[in-house]
Amino acid sequence: MTLRAVFVGGTNGIGYAMACRIAASSPASSSIIVSGRTKPANLPHSNMEFRQLDASSMRGIKKYTDDLKVSGDKLDLLVMSQGIMTMQGRTETPEGIDQKMSLHFYGKQLLIRELLPVLSDAARVIIVLDGWLGDPSKLIWDDLDLKKNYSIKKAAEHCISMNDGMIQYWAKTQPEVPAAAKKHFIHVFPGTVNTNLFKGIVPSYLQGPVGLLSRMTLTSPETCAERLLDGVEERVKEGTEAGKFWSNIDAKGKSVKNKAIWNEEQIEKVSNHTWKIVDDALAVKD
């Protein structure tokens, strides 16, 4: 079946491996779009193309999605794996959002919002971050963007947890249509994967040993991609049968047990906060 898919953060690591796997199993007439700052050295399948995107910029994302929607073609799969490994404290983008949080949370939600009108029936929307550890109890509710309480740990907890809340928001707010036509929103935990994320933070004299150790002990992106994509299809089948259209998936592709179900007040607070931060950023003038 011809497929149209977008992989943001798909220029390397897990996203790239997922894009290559989907491209290899799809007809040549499919359109597999990989997006990020820099074009990959190799796009191994003829149905793959590159579109540049700075996924930390809300205005950049808006222009990118507007361009994607021009054709009117439906989108069957949206995978967002963009991220950054940094030990810096709060570092704001020109739009006033912490860089880490813009990549790991706000930009992902804006991509979903803007592309929702062109998502096909039963489309899959996949967030690659950490579908395992999030919980609403980890949020500082009066400082969700961490202007006052920022730390690397809290930024991670907020992005992970708010993505959990938002997949439940998206599943809950979609139209009442037959189960087979409903979209699925999935937050996955990839586990420990050899994606060269340490390259920018490990001193040059340690990069050789760290790289060797990573290859010996960490899961390859290709293996991770296989587990996650197979797991997504299994969870979508189960969810369609059970009437549940959001899932949290672990590194083996299995459902994360005992995930918190967010109440309406929690979902409303996080969604309202998200759109205020995003829309304020979109209003920033050059």
Side-chain angles (χ1 to χ4, degrees), residues 102-278:
S102 70
L103 287 164
H104 291 185
F105 176 66
Y106 295 106
K108 290 177 166 67
Q109 298 308 318
L110 179 57
L111 280 158
I112 298 172
R113 187 181 80 176
E114 293 302 313
L115 292 176
L116 194 65
V118 294
L119 289 177
S120 65
D121 290 347
R124 282 83 160 120
V125 177
I126 303 172
I127 295 171
V128 182
L129 185 59
D130 186 340
W132 179 30
L133 292 176
D135 192 281
S137 66
K138 295 182 178 181
L139 296 178
I140 301 173
W141 285 97
D142 61 354
D143 188 25
L144 290 174
D145 60 341
L146 298 174
K147 286 273 192 181
K148 301 174 183 177
N149 297 277
Y150 191 92
S151 69
I152 297 299
K153 180 175 183 292
K154 290 309 297 183
E157 288 179 343
H158 272 225
C159 291
I160 291 165
S161 299
M162 290 195 293
N163 275 312
D164 276 357
M166 289 301 288
I167 63 168
Q168 295 186 34
Y169 163 85
W170 291 116
K172 181 182 178 65
T173 56
Q174 62 181 319
E176 288 298 326
V177 295
K182 287 205 171 186
K183 301 164 182 62
H184 290 257
F185 301 88
I186 303 124
H187 186 189
V188 306
F189 172 61
T192 51
V193 182
N194 183 19
T195 59
N196 294 320
L197 277 177
F198 294 104
K199 187 174 181 180
I201 61 174
V202 173
S204 58
Y205 64 88
L206 289 178
Q207 287 181 9
V210 169
L212 177 60
L213 182 63
S214 296
R215 289 190 295 274
M216 292 173 61
T217 60
L218 303 182
T219 304
S220 72
E222 293 75 22
T223 298
C224 175
E226 179 182 3
R227 291 172 178 170
L228 294 182
L229 289 170
D230 288 350
V232 163
E233 292 310 307
E234 291 171 5
R235 304 293 78 77
V236 166
K237 182 179 178 181
E238 292 173 354
T240 301
E241 293 172 353
K244 177 173 174 281
F245 303 98
W246 60 269
S247 298
N248 291 76
I249 295 179
D250 66 19
K252 300 293 186 182
K254 305 300 182 183
S255 292
V256 177
K257 298 184 183 302
N258 302 317
K259 285 302 297 184
I261 297 177
W262 291 46
N263 63 43
E264 290 188 10
E265 181 182 8
Q266 291 168 334
I267 290 174
E268 183 177 15
K269 282 183 177 179
V270 166
S271 60
N272 287 345
H273 162 80
T274 301
W275 304 137
K276 181 170 192 318
I277 294 294
V278 164

